[in-house]
Amino acid sequence: SDSDISLSAGNTGVLLVISRMILKTMSEVNKPALAGLWPNQKGMNVVLDLGANIECDDENLIDFAELGAALYKSIYPLEKPQVSLLNIGSEEIKGTETLKKAFKKLNSLSNENNLIFKGYIEGNKIMNGDTNVIVTDGFTGNIALKTAEGTAKFITDNLKNSLTKISLIFSYLPLKRFKTKLDPRKYNGAIFLGLNGPVVKSHGGTDHVGFYHSIDLCYKIIKGNLMLQIKNNLNHLNEKN
């Protein structure tokens, strides 16, 4: 493709297959990943994989960490990517052998220029903001994402139903800010990473506001030169191998 970036609101699985056929997977990457933006207390997380790969080994997770850190740098050039592995506990003895191997490798890769490895993170700490790139396999990532989306909808729906007209008057502005922060349209746009060009997938059911945020994300990715960031990170990975 001659374009700088591709954007689609079509079927995710079909888009991934077509993108891999046309753009091809980068030679340095074993599996491409699906990344998304996820709000936290201090700003934004990049989370991957969100469903492109159900089963992953430690090398895949290392690739995802480098890809996710590169994406974060391209969107937020003034901030440092701080990477965590999603796990069932924060202690080094917790988790699968795959996670333990990835943990050791990421520890050795950690530096100020490419990514700073922060260790393990549990699901209930994702939104704390102590880290900004969350790495996991596609099975776990997809479930975590859907759970978070469902929880956010549950909270906003119940707040709406519980408030009286009088209480709404006094709490209108704080509630409006809260609802805006949880608005899924602001985070509309999953990014396929690891192909020879960036591809963004917009939610098929979104409105003009959500699609605008996908276009804006495409602009930030191009402006931040994502592909150069990825190549720099993958070179860093190869130097360590």
Side-chain angles (χ1 to χ4, degrees):
S1 175
D2 296 326
S3 61
D4 292 316
I5 196 165
S6 303
L7 171 64
S8 172
N11 178 277
T12 306
V14 172
L15 180 62
L16 181 55
V17 170
I18 291 173
S19 299
R20 291 183 74 165
M21 286 174 61
I22 296 173
L23 295 171
K24 312 297 183 189
T25 304
M26 296 180 73
S27 58
E28 305 94 330
V29 175
N30 184 251
K31 293 180 179 178
L34 187 61
L37 299 180
W38 194 322
N40 65 41
Q41 291 285 4
K42 300 175 184 176
M44 197 72 69
N45 290 327
V46 166
V47 186
L48 69 166
D49 180 27
L50 293 178
N53 308 284
I54 299 302
E55 295 182 6
C56 298
D57 61 21
D58 54 297
E59 294 299 327
N60 299 143
L61 295 178
I62 303 299
D63 284 349
F64 298 167
E66 296 285 8
L67 293 169
L71 175 63
Y72 190 85
K73 282 192 286 186
S74 73
I75 302 174
Y76 306 106
L78 301 179
E79 298 180 44
K80 298 280 187 184
Q82 302 186 70
V83 176
S84 290
L85 281 170
L86 187 59
N87 198 1
I88 57 170
S90 57
E91 304 92 339
E92 286 189 42
I93 59 168
K94 293 283 181 74
T96 62
E97 286 305 310
T98 295
L99 282 171
K100 290 173 185 175
K101 287 178 184 176
F103 183 100
K104 287 180 182 177
K105 185 67 183 288
L106 285 170
N107 250 341
S108 71
L109 289 169
S110 183
N111 69 52
E112 287 285 328
N113 295 321
N114 296 82
L115 61 86
I116 300 164
F117 182 54
K118 304 280 285 187
Y120 293 134
I121 190 169
E122 295 178 78
N124 60 341
K125 303 285 177 65
I126 288 175
M127 296 185 184
N128 284 11
D130 298 326
T131 186
N132 51 42
V133 179
I134 316 290
V135 176
T136 187
D137 60 86
F139 186 87
T140 309
N142 192 275
I143 290 175
L145 176 68
K146 300 283 174 59
T147 303
E149 288 174 343
T151 303
K153 186 175 187 305
F154 175 80
I155 291 169
T156 52
D157 286 351
N158 275 273
L159 275 174
K160 196 187 305 177
N161 295 335
S162 301
L163 289 167
T164 64
K165 288 183 181 178
I166 294 173
S167 65
L168 187 60
I169 291 168
F170 290 107
S171 57
Y172 175 74
L173 286 176
L175 280 172
K176 188 177 180 184
R177 284 194 294 267
F178 177 71
K179 191 174 181 185
T180 300
K181 188 167 186 177
L182 290 183
D183 188 344
R185 297 177 301 178
K186 289 182 67 178
Y187 318 109
N188 180 48
I191 308 99
F192 289 141
L193 299 173
L195 304 176
N196 289 303
V199 178
V200 173
K201 165 67 174 68
S202 167
H203 195 288
T206 196
D207 60 9
H208 64 285
V209 176
F211 202 70
Y212 158 79
H213 281 286
S214 287
I215 295 170
D216 186 55
L217 176 62
C218 289
Y219 169 74
K220 288 176 180 174
I221 285 171
I222 297 164
K223 188 179 178 185
N225 206 338
L226 172 63
M227 295 310 296
L228 178 62
Q229 300 283 7
I230 288 175
K231 284 171 184 172
N232 287 342
N233 271 25
L234 293 176
N235 285 339
H236 159 241
L237 177 58
N238 291 332
E239 287 166 8
K240 289 282 185 175
N241 284 336

